[in-house]
Amino acid sequence: MTGRLYVIGTGPGNPEQMTPEAHTAVAEASEFFGYGPYLDRLALRPDQARLASDNREELDRAKAALERAAAGASVCVVSGGDPGVFAMAAAVCEAIDHGPAEWRAVDLVILPGITAMLAVAARIGAPLGHDFCAISLSDNLKPWNIIENRLSLAAEAGFVIALYNPISKARPWQLGKAFDILRERLPEETPVVFGRAAGRPDERITIAPLARAEASSADMATCVIIGSAETRVIAREGKSDLVYTPRFIAGESR
């Protein structure tokens, strides 16, 4: 007998940004695996078990959840944002790929959520209105030289870039280095959006031109969006500025 494994995202942190599908999964599951602060966002019943672990133990968490689901339990793995964007869905799939055969028989349900870059973009306008990409600056799971190469190529290709995991106490220099790389390839007036805790009470959204963007404006709760050469800022008297990337971008003549 096999159980069911839900993988959900709680959204950026505002309870209203968690999807109805995810709420239904929470109501149906009996055991919850996740990083403590993400589990804290759920109003669990007394009969529902909460199994918190450190944010750096994603693969072990996935394996533990799969073991319980394979044994017949109804399990929910909880991420922030969208579980498929730098989060637990990939860890669960990796565990299934390399795990015992019975894990492949588990009824796996991955539910989409609202990821940080979408929440930040909605707060500021439409910076993701044309082609964009997302890059994590954390080098815990990939070498820094790969990150540098991706930043360079994405800027040269004209993508708007959303940066996840921009800075931490262990990695205080990487966002500044990323800005240096981008300054070599983008206009100095390119808008940079620092979106911290979008949708939560401690939200802080600021804009700076790339030439004056400071790494100290971000922390691990911040998603940083760097515009392309086409991204524009609309100044509005008495209201917050808007940032958007036009839907039409003229190509070079060949």
Side-chain angles (χ1 to χ4, degrees):
M1 175 182 178
T2 183
R4 173 171 290 184
L5 176 58
Y6 295 100
V7 187
I8 71 165
T10 62
N14 182 336
E16 295 182 356
Q17 293 176 334
M18 185 168 156
T19 70
E21 274 189 322
H23 280 293
T24 298
V26 170
E28 294 179 356
S30 58
E31 300 179 17
F32 294 79
F33 291 79
Y35 179 45
Y38 297 153
L39 294 178
D40 291 342
R41 297 177 183 176
L42 305 179
L44 299 181
R45 303 186 305 267
D47 63 304
Q48 292 175 310
R50 179 184 187 277
L51 299 107
S53 53
D54 186 87
N55 206 27
R56 293 165 293 184
E57 298 175 3
E58 292 184 346
L59 192 55
D60 288 340
R61 182 186 307 142
K63 292 176 180 178
L66 282 162
E67 286 177 355
R68 292 296 302 138
S74 179
V75 179
C76 186
V77 172
V78 181
S79 295
D82 178 292
V85 179
F86 303 120
M88 283 303 301
V92 169
C93 290
E94 181 180 348
I96 292 173
D97 188 21
H98 299 287
E102 57 264 29
W103 290 0
R104 300 190 180 208
V106 166
D107 184 9
L108 177 64
V109 181
I110 300 173
L111 300 176
I114 298 175
T115 188
M117 67 180 178
L118 300 182
V120 173
R123 279 288 190 263
I124 203 70
L128 307 180
H130 209 288
D131 298 337
F132 64 89
C133 67
I135 298 174
S136 171
L137 288 193
S138 172
D139 59 355
N140 289 333
L141 299 175
K142 62 181 181 290
W144 176 250
N145 67 294
I146 289 179
I147 298 173
E148 288 188 330
N149 189 48
R150 290 178 177 175
L151 287 169
S152 177
L153 293 175
E156 290 177 1
F159 288 108
V160 174
I161 303 170
L163 296 180
Y164 281 70
N165 305 311
I167 199 166
S168 71
K169 291 180 180 179
R171 301 180 289 101
W173 57 272
Q174 290 173 327
L175 181 57
K177 178 62 176 175
F179 285 154
D180 289 341
I181 292 169
L182 297 173
R183 287 181 184 119
E184 296 176 359
R185 292 156 180 83
L186 292 169
E188 62 180 14
E189 67 273 13
T190 300
V192 177
V193 179
F194 296 90
R196 185 187 186 282
R200 305 208 296 265
D202 56 341
E203 172 184 292
R204 186 178 69 249
I205 311 289
T206 59
I207 309 168
L210 181 58
R212 298 200 302 274
E214 296 288 344
S216 59
S217 298
D219 61 15
M220 278 297 286
T222 305
C223 181
V224 181
I225 298 178
I226 299 103
S228 68
E230 288 78 21
T231 304
R232 301 289 179 260
V233 178
I234 304 173
R236 301 192 298 167
E237 186 175 353
K239 295 184 180 294
S240 299
D241 292 349
L242 294 176
V243 178
Y244 84 106
T245 304
R247 292 179 297 162
F248 176 77
I249 295 176
E252 297 178 358
S253 58
R254 298 293 181 185

